[in-house]
Amino acid sequence: MSETLNIKINGRELEIPCGTTFQKIVDKYAGAEKDDIVLCYSGYKLFELFKKVKYDGELKFVSTKQKDGQRAYRRSALLLMQKAFDNMNKRGYFGENSVRNIYEKTEGKILPNIFVMYSLGDGYFCRVNKEIEVTDEFLRDLTEEMTSLVIQNLPIQKKMMNTKDAENTFKKYGMKSKERLLYYRSSSNTNIYEIDGFCDYFYGYMVPSTGYLKYFKLQKFEDGFMILFPDLKENHKVAEFKPSMKLFDVMKQSADWSKLLNIRTVGALNDAVCAGNTTDIILMQEAMMEEKIGHLAQDIAGSPDHKFVMIAGPSSSGKTTFSHRLSIQLLSLGLKPHPLSLDNYYMDHDTMPMGEDGKPDYEALECLDVERFNSDMTSLLNGDEAEIPVFNFKTGRREAEGIPMKLQKNDVLVIEGIHGLNDKLSYSLPKESKFKIYISALTQLAIDEHNPLSTTDGRLIRRIVRDARTRGTGAQETLSRWDSVRRGEEKNIFPFQNSVDAFFNSALIYEMAVLKLYAVPQLYSVPRESEEYAEAKRLLKLLNYFVPIPTEYIAKNSLVREFVGGSCFDV
């Protein structure tokens, strides 16, 4: 066996001794950027820096300016926060609520704990036990404890533990959701992370030590607090917190629904499924969603000025099914809705503007015939007839003849498309004539107490399933396009979410357990030698937490049918 390995870094051929860690290579060859490098790719597999290089090949450094590095930074900062909180607890900071030793008898007592609820802006919204008040003093003391741990530069160690032992450990810590999550783990062993004797379980890789975690901020917010991080653009500066109260209210309402169902975490969902309560979960969640759609329809019908319902949201939010279900509710209130897709106002493909990558930017506002749209909508608003264009996606051109339309007294246009919330699209229409709805799948389920389930991951898995079914597109291609899709959302959708009349959360609490059955085969099809393999592997690990749910009890009008098939709507 050779005593050296041949590796390539930034085009440079190197020989290194066998058994060299990625950390040593980073320290020697990464230059001034080494403090920001937190992971490494060897080939197309992702590794933590304490791991040893085993094979010849190309190495790529992953910094906190990349999404994999950012994820590692954020989850590591959460572990840092939990360790700091545990230190304060052991010193008796919380008075009679303190537990200085996890092996004390704690039956019937709620242990002090921080709960990471959900993502909000460039951070996470957190709550603590009701017995502990979130004050400026508490956040200052917690920040000081975290900063002290950063200065000490303590190693973040990965340790393998028997899964049953891990369950018992987290039970003693009072982390019931983590205990239930591991109960359903099929592997006999579990990797946990530890800082100076405090251990926790996290979904994904970590940075090597606490010294990497210099940039964070704790800020009081509503009935909890935010832990804020740098964004991808400025990884040495904590991003400014600009809360969307409408978004926060929707997330809070969704969390209340989860509480009503008694399903806040993956482990609780698995418990309910295994107890035979699947049908009740589905029916209750669908009833809650239908009630919300009904309220939106009443708000729209409440004013005769509302003639244009503008619906937009990020990819795989379920806009089409939502539009159909909203239209049915509007019909029941005496209105006559007419669905209209903004896709029909596409310019011919050979006239599309080019993006920064030199390829046609199909998501730019300039792709739409804005002048024609405003002319047609103004005519309809004035009671005149307009010819709505029809775009042929096979030819990439508009059909010669459109569809004549005229709005009567109770008619409403339900318009769905990426730019629906942008007033530059509908500049000629009076504000009072438009009712804007932002829709997104804002996942209310958490993996456990300290691992929120990513809303973006939920939408990505939806898209993988839908694209495979409706477009014949494999998971590898969908994954390769996702970053471009996300850039389009950041530019064309998210900036307009605060100007809407209503938010709608299209996430279903049970959907990941359903999507698992369809997504897993697609993700396994991603080749190991491809750039998308690491992401596919990460998503497979996420889906492995869920006990699957079959589709037989899911209604034909359910929003999840838009992705798995079997919908009664043309989706």
Side-chain angles (χ1 to χ4, degrees):
M1 183 176 178
S2 174
E3 294 182 357
T4 62
L5 296 171
N6 297 312
I7 64 170
K8 182 189 288 187
I9 300 174
N10 296 326
R12 183 181 177 186
E13 301 281 352
L14 301 167
E15 275 194 3
I16 64 167
C18 288
T20 302
T21 65
F22 289 99
Q23 181 72 71
K24 288 183 178 179
I25 295 173
V26 168
D27 290 342
K28 188 171 183 179
Y29 298 106
E33 282 191 299
K34 67 181 181 181
D35 288 341
D36 298 321
I37 293 169
V38 293
L39 301 169
C40 268
Y41 273 105
S42 177
Y44 294 112
K45 294 185 70 175
L46 196 59
F47 290 92
E48 291 168 302
L49 296 187
F50 72 87
K51 290 280 190 177
K52 296 178 180 179
V53 185
K54 294 182 178 180
Y55 305 104
D56 297 336
E58 184 175 8
L59 300 187
K60 293 180 181 179
F61 299 140
V62 178
S63 77
T64 52
K65 292 181 180 178
Q66 297 161 272
K67 62 181 182 181
D68 286 316
Q70 186 188 60
R71 290 184 188 124
Y73 187 96
R74 290 187 173 196
R75 67 175 69 96
S76 301
L78 293 180
L79 177 60
L80 174 74
M81 179 175 68
Q82 298 295 340
K83 166 60 177 173
F85 187 85
D86 186 63
N87 283 356
M88 293 166 66
N89 176 38
K90 288 178 179 177
R91 290 200 302 266
Y93 183 90
F94 304 111
E96 64 179 15
N97 293 308
S98 296
V99 178
R100 293 176 176 81
N101 187 323
I102 65 167
Y103 298 101
E104 292 177 6
K105 292 184 178 180
T106 57
E107 290 85 351
K109 182 173 182 178
I110 299 176
L111 304 184
N113 203 351
I114 295 177
F115 300 92
V116 183
M117 302 300 293
Y118 36 75
S119 175
L120 198 62
D122 284 298
Y124 292 119
F125 176 66
C126 305
R127 288 196 178 103
V128 294
N129 298 91
K130 292 180 180 179
E131 291 80 4
I132 300 170
E133 183 181 0
V134 176
T135 62
D136 291 334
E137 180 184 9
F138 162 70
L139 294 180
R140 185 187 66 243
D141 292 342
L142 182 57
T143 299
E144 289 179 357
E145 188 69 29
M146 292 173 68
T147 303
S148 172
L149 293 170
V150 171
I151 293 171
Q152 293 175 58
N153 194 26
L154 300 170
I156 298 177
Q157 298 176 310
K158 178 185 276 189
K159 296 184 177 181
M160 183 178 290
M161 182 180 286
N162 176 274
T163 299
K164 182 62 180 176
D165 291 340
E167 282 181 52
N168 291 332
T169 296
F170 293 126
K171 183 177 182 179
K172 290 170 183 174
Y173 270 115
M175 301 180 192
K176 183 178 179 181
S177 296
K178 207 174 294 282
E179 173 209 346
R180 296 311 297 162
L181 180 76
L182 295 180
Y183 176 83
Y184 293 97
R185 183 173 173 81
S186 57
S187 174
S188 58
N189 293 311
T190 296
N191 288 321
I192 64 169
Y193 289 92
E194 182 179 296
I195 299 177
D196 189 28
F198 176 82
C199 64
D200 205 343
Y201 176 77
F202 279 86
Y203 155 59
Y205 296 132
M206 294 286 198
V207 306
S209 67
T210 59
Y212 283 72
L213 305 172
K214 302 180 183 74
Y215 310 106
F216 66 89
K217 181 180 179 181
L218 305 184
Q219 181 173 325
K220 197 173 186 309
F221 182 66
E222 293 296 306
D223 58 342
F225 69 95
M226 295 294 304
I227 177 169
L228 300 170
F229 310 105
D231 60 24
L232 288 175
K233 295 178 182 177
E234 295 188 74
N235 63 334
H236 288 172
K237 180 182 177 182
V238 175
E240 184 181 355
F241 183 46
K242 297 179 180 178
S244 166
M245 294 310 298
K246 290 181 179 179
L247 177 61
F248 177 75
D249 289 342
V250 172
M251 296 298 290
K252 187 173 184 296
Q253 182 187 63
S254 298
D256 290 341
W257 283 359
S258 299
K259 185 177 180 180
L260 181 64
L261 292 167
N262 199 26
I263 300 174
R264 301 192 218 184
T265 63
V266 175
L269 175 63
N270 290 340
D271 283 344
V273 171
C274 292
N277 298 327
T278 303
T279 305
D280 289 342
I281 296 168
I282 293 172
L283 292 175
M284 287 182 67
Q285 175 77 101
E286 294 288 354
M288 290 173 177
M289 182 170 284
E290 194 63 30
E291 180 184 25
K292 177 64 174 176
I293 296 173
H295 286 314
L296 285 175
Q298 289 173 359
D299 290 342
I300 294 166
S303 172
D305 292 330
H306 293 149
K307 303 301 287 185
F308 306 102
V309 180
M310 317 290 283
I311 302 170
S315 175
S316 303
S317 293
K319 294 181 286 290
T320 305
T321 298
F322 170 73
S323 299
H324 282 295
R325 289 176 64 170
L326 178 62
S327 295
I328 291 171
Q329 289 284 352
L330 291 171
L331 278 169
S332 72
L333 296 173
L335 298 180
K336 188 176 181 181
H338 299 272
L340 174 64
S341 173
L342 288 175
D343 290 351
N344 285 312
Y345 282 89
Y346 261 127
M347 306 286 279
D348 292 346
H349 278 182
D350 56 7
T351 66
M352 291 289 181
M354 295 295 172
E356 295 178 359
D357 57 1
K359 299 178 182 179
D361 184 0
Y362 294 112
E363 296 185 344
L365 178 62
E366 292 74 20
C367 291
L368 300 179
D369 191 342
V370 176
E371 297 300 322
R372 171 72 181 274
F373 176 80
N374 280 273
S375 175
D376 289 348
M377 296 305 106
T378 300
S379 296
L380 293 173
L381 187 61
N382 293 334
D384 299 326
E385 185 176 284
E387 185 178 284
I388 306 300
V390 176
F391 191 84
N392 188 324
F393 280 89
K394 291 183 179 179
T395 64
R397 306 184 70 83
R398 186 181 295 170
E399 298 285 9
E401 294 186 7
I403 300 173
M405 179 179 288
K406 187 174 183 179
L407 293 184
Q408 304 299 325
K409 180 180 178 181
N410 290 328
D411 288 1
V412 177
L413 273 182
V414 180
I415 303 171
E416 179 261 309
I418 186 173
H419 297 287
L421 306 180
N422 188 348
D423 284 330
K424 289 183 178 180
L425 168 75
S426 55
Y427 64 85
S428 68
L429 301 179
K431 181 180 180 180
E432 61 271 14
S433 70
K434 296 179 285 188
F435 189 94
K436 298 180 183 178
I437 302 174
Y438 176 85
I439 176 174
S440 187
L442 305 169
T443 308
Q444 62 265 54
L445 202 64
I447 297 174
D448 57 39
E449 294 94 339
H450 306 150
N451 288 275
L453 188 60
S454 166
T455 290
T456 302
D457 284 349
R459 291 193 294 107
L460 175 55
I461 290 169
R462 280 183 171 187
R463 181 158 178 151
I464 288 169
V465 173
R466 185 198 63 193
D467 283 3
R469 181 179 65 84
T470 64
R471 302 177 184 178
T473 303
Q476 182 182 0
E477 185 174 349
T478 300
L479 290 170
S480 71
R481 294 177 177 177
W482 188 242
D483 284 344
S484 175
V485 171
R486 293 280 292 140
R487 287 193 295 271
E489 294 170 351
E490 294 282 352
K491 179 181 178 181
N492 299 312
I493 297 176
F494 297 150
F496 306 103
Q497 63 182 351
N498 288 327
S499 65
V500 299
D501 297 290
F503 269 67
F504 182 79
N505 185 3
S506 67
L508 294 157
I509 204 164
Y510 64 84
E511 68 176 75
M512 293 290 277
V514 175
L515 293 168
K516 174 180 181 175
L517 295 169
Y518 300 84
V520 165
Q522 290 297 320
L523 291 167
Y524 272 123
S525 73
V526 177
R528 289 188 176 184
E529 66 276 8
S530 70
E531 292 184 8
E532 295 76 26
Y533 175 72
E535 185 72 345
K537 184 179 177 182
R538 184 182 71 84
L539 294 175
L540 281 167
K541 182 179 178 181
L542 171 62
L543 290 169
N544 190 49
Y545 292 130
F546 291 85
V547 172
I549 293 177
T551 61
E552 59 186 301
Y553 298 115
I554 300 175
K556 298 295 183 182
N557 70 338
S558 174
L559 197 138
V560 78
R561 289 285 183 186
E562 182 170 331
F563 306 98
V564 303
S567 177
C568 59
F569 302 122
D570 183 14
V571 293

